[in-house]
C-alpha cells in the first residue's frame, strides 16, 4: 500500500501544468507561494513556465491594486544600497515623475518582501482604526459602534503607512553615512511634494506609532541595566516626541521592527530587539514634519482664512495623489482656519485631533461626528521641556544605581528593591559613563 506522501506525489504529477499554475495564482500571499513552489518539482516547473505572471497575481490576492505603486516604491527604496544622498535624490526624481506597476516585471524575490510588509501594514491599519475611532474627536466620549472603515479610508491609511516606511528607508540614520539630509533639506525634496493634509496624515501615523511604541520603550529603558549605564531617558511624555532623539531612532527602524517590538511579551524578546538596535536620531520624522511648515524668518501671522488665491498658490501644495473624497482637505482646513503657515503641519494645537486621525476619514464620517459645527479650539497645555523634578530625580537615581551594577558585571533587568533577575558576569573594566543630561 502506498504511503500518503507517495499518493500525493502521484496526484500532483497527474495535474496539467495549467491547473498547477491556476492553483499557484490562487494562493493568498507571496510567502505561501514561495513555500509551495519549493515544496515539489512539479510546482517549481509550473511556476518557472509562468514566472512573469504568477507573482503579480498572487500579490493582487493580498495587496489592493491601488496600493501596489506605493509597495513598489518602498521596495525600490529599500534597495538603495549603499545609501547615498545622490541615490535618494535620483530615486525621488523618478518617483515623483510617476510610475506604473504594469511596467514592472514582478519576481518572487520582489513579491515576498512586498507581501511581508503588507502583512505588517494590514496589522497597523486595523489597530490604528480601532484606536482612533474608539473616541469621539470633539466630545471625547467613547464610540461604542464606529462604522467600519470604507475602501477609500483603507486606501488612505495604507498609502500613509507606506509613506512612513518610504521615509524610514530614505532618511533614517545609517551607520556608514555621516552626510544625512537635514530637516530643511527633507522638506525641499520630500515634504514639499505633498499637500499639508497629506503631511498631516503622516503626522497622524507618526503619533500613533509613537504611542504604541512608547510604553514598551519606557518600561525597557527604566529597567535595563546597560541602558541605565548609558543614561537613556524614559520620561513619561507619553506621545509628544520631538525632543527624545532615542525614541525617534527607534521609530526609524520601520514597521516590521515596531510590530515585533510592541507584540513582544517578555523582557528577553524586547532585549533581543532593542539591545542591538539602540540609536539616537535627531533628524528623523518629528523634526522633518516641523521643518515642513516652511516658516520664514519674518514672522508670518496671516491666517489660513485670510488667504487669497496667490497665498493659496504659494503656500498650499497640491496633493501628490488626488483624493476623490473631500474629507481630509475639509478637516484640515477646518482645523487650521485661524492658523498661520508656521503651524500648518504637526502643530501641538492639533495633537488631540491627530490622536483621532482626523485627516484620514471620509466626509460622511466627519459629518456623522458633526465635526464642522464649530471652530476648533484647544486649551494649550503647559509644555514641559523636561520631566517634573521628582520624576527626573528618580530617573537620575535609577541611572546611578544601574551604573554601579553594570560596573560590577550585572546585566539584564533591574528594579528598585529587586535584583533577582540580574545576570552577573565577570567584572569588566570600567568605561566612561554616558552623560547625565542637564536640562535647561
Amino acid at each position: 500500500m502506498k504511503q500518503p506522501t507517495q499518493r500525493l506525489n502521484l496526484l500532483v504529477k497527474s495535474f496539467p501544468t495549467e491547473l498547477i499554475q491556476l492553483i499557484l495564482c490562487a494562493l493568498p500571499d507571496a510567502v505561501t507561494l514561495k513555500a509551495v513552489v519549493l515544496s515539489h518539482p512539479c510546482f517549481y516547473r509550473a511556476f518557472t513556465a509562468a514566472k512573469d505572471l504568477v507573482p503579480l497575481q498572487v500579490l493582487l490576492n493580498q495587496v489592493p491594486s491601488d496600493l501596489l505603486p506605493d509597495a513598489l516604491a518602498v521596495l525600490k527604496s529599500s534597495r538603495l544600497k549603499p545609501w547615498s544622498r545622490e541615490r535618494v535624490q535620483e530615486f525621488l526624481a523618478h518617483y515623483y515623475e510617476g510610475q506604473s506597476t504594469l511596467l514592472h516585471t514582478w519576481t518572487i524575490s520582489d513579491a515576498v518582501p512586498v507581501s511581508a510588509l503588507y502583512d505588517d501594514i494590514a496589522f497597523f491599519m486595523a489597530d490604528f482604526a480601532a484606536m482612533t475611532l474608539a473616541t469621539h474627536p470633539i466630545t471625547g466620549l467613547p464610540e461604542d459602534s464606529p462604522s467600519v472603515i470604507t475602501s477609500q479610508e483603507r486606501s488612505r491609511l495604507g498609502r500613509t503607512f507606506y509613506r512612513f516606511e518610504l521615509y524610514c528607508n530614505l532618511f533614517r540614520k545609517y551607520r556608514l553615512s555621516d552626510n544625512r539630509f537635514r530637516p530643511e533639506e527633507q522638506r525641499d525634496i520630500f515634504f514639499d511634494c505633498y499637500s499639508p493634509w497629506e503631511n498631516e496624515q503622516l503626522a497622524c501615523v507618526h503619533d500613533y506609532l509613537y504611542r504604541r511604541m512608547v510604553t514598551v520603550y519606557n518600561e525597557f529603558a527604566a529597567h535595563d541595566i546597560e541602558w541605565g549605564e548609558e543614561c537613556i531617558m524614559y520620561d513619561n511624555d507619553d506621545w509628544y516626541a520631538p525632543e527624545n532623539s532615542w525614541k525617534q531612532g527607534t521609530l526609524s527602524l520601520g514597521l516590521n521592527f515596531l510590530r515585533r517590538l510592541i507584540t513582544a511579551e517578555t523582557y528577553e524578546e524586547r532585549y533581543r530587539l532593542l539591545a542591538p538596535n539602540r540609536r539616537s536620531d535627531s533628524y528623523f520624522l518629528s523634526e522633518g514634519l516641523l521643518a515642513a511648515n516652511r516658516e520664514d524668518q519674518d514672522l508670518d501671522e496671516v491666517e489660513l482664512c485670510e488667504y487669497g488665491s496667490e497665498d493659496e498658490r504659494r503656500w498650499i501644495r497640491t496633493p501628490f495623489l488626488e483624493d476623490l473624497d473631500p474629507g481630509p482637505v475639509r478637516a484640515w482646513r477646518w482645523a487650521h482656519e485661524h492658523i498661520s503657515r508656521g503651524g500648518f503641519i504637526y502643530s501641538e494645537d492639533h495633537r488631540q485631533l491627530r490622536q483621532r486621525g482626523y485627516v484620514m476619514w471620509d466626509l460622511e464620517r466627519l459629518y456623522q461626528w458633526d465635526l464642522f459645527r464649530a471652530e476648533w479650539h484647544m486649551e494649550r497645555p503647559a509644555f514641559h521641556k523636561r520631566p517634573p523634578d521628582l520624576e527626573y530625580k528618580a530617573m537620575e537615581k535609577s541611572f546611578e544605581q544601574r551604573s554601579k551594577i553594570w560596573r560590577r558585571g550585572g546585566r539584564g533587568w533591574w528594579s528598585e528593591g529587586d535584583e533577582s533577575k540580574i545576570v552577573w558576569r565577570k567584572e569588566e573594566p570600567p568605561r566612561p559613563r554616558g552623560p547625565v543630561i542637564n536640562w535647561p
Side-chain angles (χ1 to χ4, degrees):
M1 183 177 178
K2 292 184 173 65
Q3 295 298 318
T5 53
Q6 292 176 310
R7 292 200 301 271
L8 178 61
N9 186 47
L10 290 173
L11 180 63
V12 170
K13 287 182 177 180
S14 71
F15 289 167
T17 298
E18 293 79 5
L19 177 59
I20 295 177
Q21 290 170 346
L22 288 174
I23 292 172
L24 295 177
C25 286
L27 293 174
D29 56 67
V31 176
T32 305
L33 171 65
K34 182 178 180 180
V36 171
V37 166
L38 296 177
S39 69
H40 196 283
C42 289
F43 288 133
Y44 182 80
R45 285 193 295 270
F47 171 77
T48 55
K51 62 182 179 180
D52 293 340
L53 301 175
V54 175
L56 175 57
Q57 182 55 56
V58 173
L59 276 180
L60 290 172
N61 295 340
Q62 180 189 19
V63 184
S65 58
D66 60 326
L67 294 181
L68 270 186
D70 303 275
L72 180 59
V74 171
L75 176 69
K76 290 182 176 180
S77 70
S78 70
R79 294 173 173 173
L80 298 178
K81 297 175 181 178
W83 184 96
S84 71
R85 293 170 65 95
E86 294 74 20
R87 282 192 172 93
V88 170
Q89 290 170 316
E90 182 181 1
F91 167 83
L92 286 174
H94 290 299
Y95 176 60
Y96 293 132
E97 288 173 359
Q99 58 182 336
S100 172
T101 55
L102 298 176
L103 301 178
H104 182 75
T105 300
W106 290 91
T107 65
I108 198 165
S109 61
D110 290 340
V112 167
V114 167
S115 178
L117 177 60
Y118 185 77
D119 189 62
D120 295 326
I121 287 177
F123 168 86
F124 281 119
M125 285 195 297
D127 190 63
F128 180 97
M131 285 186 65
T132 56
L133 298 178
T135 305
H136 193 287
I138 303 300
T139 66
L141 297 175
E143 291 276 278
D144 295 329
S145 301
S147 57
V148 177
I149 63 173
T150 67
S151 59
Q152 288 190 106
E153 290 172 334
R154 183 176 296 277
S155 293
R156 209 173 288 130
L157 283 170
R159 284 196 302 271
T160 309
F161 277 104
Y162 273 120
R163 199 181 317 144
F164 173 82
E165 190 73 7
L166 178 67
Y167 179 91
C168 289
N169 289 342
L170 298 178
F171 299 113
R172 70 162 58 96
K173 184 178 182 179
Y174 288 94
R175 297 182 189 278
L176 300 179
S177 175
D178 58 357
N179 191 24
R180 302 180 62 203
F181 291 100
R182 299 187 305 277
E184 294 77 13
E185 294 176 300
Q186 296 176 23
R187 176 192 64 206
D188 294 339
I189 66 174
F190 185 81
F191 294 106
D192 273 359
C193 296
Y194 299 93
S195 65
W197 48 95
E198 287 174 318
N199 284 325
E200 188 76 345
Q201 288 168 353
L202 187 57
C204 288
V205 162
H206 167 275
D207 286 359
Y208 154 75
L209 291 171
Y210 186 84
R211 292 195 304 274
R212 292 294 276 121
M213 174 272 295
V214 74
T215 302
V216 174
Y217 182 98
N218 280 343
E219 183 182 21
F220 187 89
H223 295 283
D224 184 74
I225 292 171
E226 190 159 3
W227 280 35
E229 161 66 16
E230 297 288 344
C231 299
I232 295 178
M233 304 289 287
Y234 55 93
D235 57 274
N236 289 325
D237 178 14
D238 61 352
W239 65 280
Y240 195 56
E243 294 192 351
N244 195 313
S245 60
W246 290 101
K247 293 176 183 177
Q248 287 290 304
T250 302
L251 283 179
S252 76
L253 294 169
L255 293 175
N256 180 257
F257 179 89
L258 292 172
R259 180 183 181 182
R260 287 183 290 141
L261 179 62
I262 66 178
T263 56
E265 297 181 353
T266 65
Y267 165 80
E268 288 74 20
E269 290 179 279
R270 294 166 186 166
Y271 179 86
R272 285 193 292 270
L273 289 167
L274 288 170
N277 292 294
R278 184 179 66 224
R279 64 178 65 193
S280 173
D281 195 336
S282 301
Y283 285 174
F284 195 61
L285 187 51
S286 65
E287 292 298 326
L289 286 165
L290 290 171
N293 285 295
R294 194 175 279 281
E295 186 174 17
D296 295 339
Q297 291 182 349
D298 297 329
L299 184 62
D300 176 14
E301 296 183 352
V302 180
E303 297 179 351
L304 179 63
C305 61
E306 301 172 319
Y307 272 25
S309 57
E310 179 61 26
D311 293 318
E312 287 275 343
R313 185 196 64 77
R314 185 179 182 186
W315 301 115
I316 308 300
R317 305 286 178 177
T318 57
F320 175 64
L321 187 63
E322 195 65 38
D323 197 321
L324 297 178
D325 190 281
V329 60
R330 285 281 304 275
W332 180 82
R333 286 185 176 277
W334 164 77
H336 293 81
E337 185 177 9
H338 296 291
I339 302 292
S340 62
R341 70 173 186 269
F344 278 178
I345 302 161
Y346 199 51
S347 168
E348 185 185 352
D349 288 338
H350 300 108
R351 291 189 300 167
Q352 293 174 4
L353 288 176
R354 288 197 300 276
Q355 198 170 6
R356 305 273 71 84
Y358 75 113
V359 285
M360 292 292 194
W361 312 121
D362 291 348
L363 189 61
E364 178 61 29
R365 188 184 300 277
L366 303 179
Y367 279 146
Q368 290 174 3
W369 281 337
D370 202 12
L371 190 72
F372 308 119
R373 74 177 188 272
E375 295 178 356
W376 169 251
H377 293 290
M378 172 184 169
E379 184 177 345
R380 195 181 184 99
F383 181 71
H384 300 287
K385 289 192 174 181
R386 62 170 183 167
D389 288 341
L390 290 177
E391 183 179 322
Y392 179 70
K393 289 178 180 177
M395 193 184 307
E396 190 174 39
K397 179 182 177 182
S398 169
F399 291 156
E400 293 172 353
Q401 290 177 297
R402 283 184 282 165
S403 178
K404 291 178 182 178
I405 293 171
W406 185 91
R407 290 166 184 270
R408 286 159 44 207
R411 298 293 185 273
W413 177 274
W414 165 90
S415 186
E416 181 102 40
D418 179 10
E419 298 187 357
S420 62
K421 298 178 181 178
I422 297 175
V423 177
W424 294 98
R425 302 178 179 180
K426 183 179 179 180
E427 187 171 348
E428 300 180 16
R431 66 179 181 183
R433 185 185 173 205
V436 174
I437 298 174
N438 294 317
W439 294 86

